[in-house]
Amino acid sequence: MTGASATPDPAASFEPDRRRLRGLAYRMLGSMADAEDAVQEAYLRWHAAARDRVLDPRAFLMTTTTRICLDMLTSARARREEYVGPWLPEPVLDTAALAPDRRTELAEDLSVALLLTLDRLSPLERAAFLLHDVFDFSFDEVAGALERNRAACRQLAARARAHVRAVRPRGAVAPPVRAGEVDAKHVQLMSTFVAATRSGDLDSLMRLLTSDVRVVTDGGGKAAAPLNVIDGADRAARFLIGAARKGWRDDFRMRVSAINGLPGVIVDAPDGPVQTAAFEFDGDAIRALYVIRNQDKLRHLPAPAAPDGGDGRSAG
């Protein structure tokens, strides 16, 4: 695009980049609601820009969205310090809707483990890593987006990459679950898990857990949830059985769904989802369970397509 070109229609020229921008913003912020706000703000700035003078609209929009996210992270930091209990990213069912253009293992990884690792990075480390390693920005482009020199951006990305590599072998699940798909083996394992939990069968449940399993529950102070991560098979199994005994209702329904690329289940009440659970497996055993009960993080989830499950399958 050159200055001699006619000014492009703002909506038509923005839409091809919307998915990429939403994917960047979600990885930066860990929240679909905040990501949508960031993308909308990027659109408003694109609408107001002298678009006929923008030589590279993609770079302009990615840079704009990155800077908006960095500003949002500054204000989010105070809220995070006051957050009640463990924090988890908002669940995403359709990871393909947030995928970058290129198809690599890292680009397709939206696992909870990776997002928690990104959350522990500094905002600039996170941005440099995502722009370069996931969204294929050159370091010259990263430097322009972050208003740092090229060498500094290389260092930011390198530090971030080291953190990701340090935890990713444990967090990675191979092969990754495709958007909306859960393989039959994991459906069966989750069904067995649900049956053991609801029947109070402690021994059967413990056989499904690794000895160092972790149960991370995000209630955000808005739903009953433990305030700390529960570690170890015995503690986790007793907690899960107790929670099912006290919290399950006859009008709840369970549906199988991929959640952030992991096998998972959504628990629906008649008026909407009340909980998601994403399972991280090590072979046939569960090594991490990520549960979200904070209703603010469940509002964007689609309702089940049918009373007994969105994809026709039930976990128990």
Side-chain angles (χ1 to χ4, degrees), residues 156-227:
L156 287 168
R159 285 201 297 269
R161 198 176 301 122
H163 284 290
V164 170
R165 285 175 177 168
V167 300
R168 199 158 180 275
R170 176 172 173 72
V173 176
V177 177
R178 295 291 179 184
E181 297 180 0
V182 178
D183 60 85
K185 171 186 171 183
H186 287 129
V187 171
Q188 181 57 49
L189 287 170
M190 290 190 296
S191 179
T192 304
F193 168 88
V194 170
T197 302
R198 292 181 61 184
S199 67
D201 187 340
L202 183 65
D203 291 338
S204 294
L205 182 55
M206 286 187 62
R207 283 196 292 273
L208 291 168
L209 307 176
T210 63
S211 60
D212 60 347
V213 65
R214 306 180 79 230
V215 179
V216 186
T217 307
D218 179 343
K222 300 181 179 181
L227 295 178

Side-chain angles (χ1 to χ4, degrees), residues 57 62 89 100 114 154 172 175 207-208 227 231 242 254:
M62 292 288 282
L114 177 61
R154 277 187 177 278
R207 283 196 292 273
L208 291 168
L227 295 178
D231 293 296
M254 226 178 255

